[in-house]
Amino acid sequence: KAGVTQTPRYLIKTRGQQVTLSCSPISGHRSVSWYQQTPGQGLQFLFEYFSETQRNKGNFPGRFSGRQFSNSRSEMNVSTLELGDSALYLCASSLRGGGDTEAFFGQGTRLTVV
Amino acid sequence: GQSLEQPSEVTAVEGAIVQINCTYQTSGFYGLSWYQQHDGGAPTFLSYNALDGLEETGRFSSFLSRSDSYGYLLLQELQMKDSASYFCSTYNFNKFYFGSGTKLNVKP
């Protein structure tokens, strides 16, 4: 079966702009979670969606937002981009979410803010 | 707060055994997961320990001691393809937390 698909793979944006990233989970998976990965901070949890509802949220400013559609596809949006937002953004899908289920990660979107 | 501590880098030779430790400080602990990530690749799930003890999956084993707030990932019969970063992770109070990752270098 197809894995988790993230688009686009690479993105260059200018400071102050906004960006939308997309994640298509594995068919049948209802949970999608998002992460930011940087060399300095490592993997940090952004938020988790389950059945179109944001279930959990990490410690990121309100500029970071997301949503999930009825087909479980998810998008995350970052507004008013800052240089520090340059990172690899990963999404992961799982059947029911939570920490005791296997999560499958996408290849990520590499965002560069200039 | 929540924190997970791992060594930043470990080097071992092909065929050897290596142990990657993870100590955590957290409340509401539900279990410890391990992920592998090759350079430029996506993290892949390796194992999950909810209870104390050893979980074995092929060449990889993971151990948890809740009383010591400690776990480790054991890799046996190391192969060159095991060169990657390894992350421990917990899920507490509806949030995911990750260690900073251990870069494993396997040498011939």
Side-chain angles (χ1 to χ4, degrees):
Chain A
K1 59 182 176 183
V4 178
T5 303
Q6 289 189 246
T7 55
R9 289 293 311 277
Y10 302 92
L11 206 50
I12 299 175
K13 288 286 189 178
T14 303
R15 196 168 44 178
Q17 287 186 311
Q18 75 164 21
V19 67
T20 299
L21 312 181
S22 179
C23 174
S24 294
I26 291 172
S27 178
H29 285 191
R30 297 167 66 187
S31 168
V32 173
S33 52
W34 288 88
Y35 304 85
Q36 181 194 66
Q37 186 173 32
T38 59
Q41 298 295 321
L43 263 168
Q44 293 187 287
F45 171 66
L46 280 156
F47 26 68
E48 180 190 12
Y49 286 86
F50 184 85
S51 294
E52 301 180 65
T53 300
Q54 186 182 87
R55 191 156 69 174
N56 316 307
K57 192 177 192 308
N59 299 322
F60 277 81
R63 300 186 297 108
F64 292 81
S65 62
R67 59 178 175 170
Q68 187 180 33
F69 302 95
S70 58
N71 62 358
S72 293
R73 189 177 72 84
S74 178
E75 289 181 347
M76 71 162 278
N77 185 276
V78 187
S79 63
T80 320
L81 283 166
E82 300 177 359
L83 296 179
D85 297 333
S86 294
L88 179 67
Y89 290 88
L90 293 159
C91 77
S93 77
S94 64
L95 277 171
R96 62 176 186 271
D100 63 343
T101 55
E102 181 174 355
F104 296 83
F105 281 82
Q107 291 294 110
T109 294
R110 172 77 61 186
L111 172 65
T112 302
V113 182
V114 297
Chain B
Q2 322 281 334
S3 70
L4 298 95
E5 298 292 327
Q6 303 178 236
S8 59
E9 194 164 352
V10 172
T11 300
V13 296
E14 208 172 3
I17 299 173
V18 72
Q19 178 174 312
I20 298 174
N21 300 322
C22 175
T23 57
Y24 58 87
Q25 293 184 344
T26 182
S27 54
F29 180 78
Y30 289 100
L32 192 70
S33 298
W34 288 92
Y35 288 85
Q36 177 193 60
Q37 186 178 28
H38 287 97
D39 282 348
T44 55
F45 175 85
L46 291 176
S47 67
Y48 171 72
N49 293 67
L51 304 174
D52 287 2
L54 193 67
E55 295 280 343
E56 298 181 70
T57 310
R59 295 188 297 113
F60 294 1
S61 304
S62 56
F63 172 83
L64 177 65
S65 168
R66 297 168 73 104
S67 59
D68 295 323
S69 297
Y70 163 76
Y72 66 72
L73 180 69
L74 190 74
L75 297 85
Q76 303 182 72
E77 300 172 19
L78 279 174
Q79 301 176 9
M80 297 300 292
K81 67 178 182 180
D82 297 330
S83 291
S85 291
Y86 293 83
F87 298 88
C88 56
S89 171
T90 64
Y91 179 80
N92 307 318
F93 297 119
N94 297 327
K95 293 183 181 180
F96 294 89
Y97 298 90
F98 288 85
S100 53
T102 299
K103 186 172 176 59
L104 172 63
N105 302 302
V106 180
K107 297 190 171 182

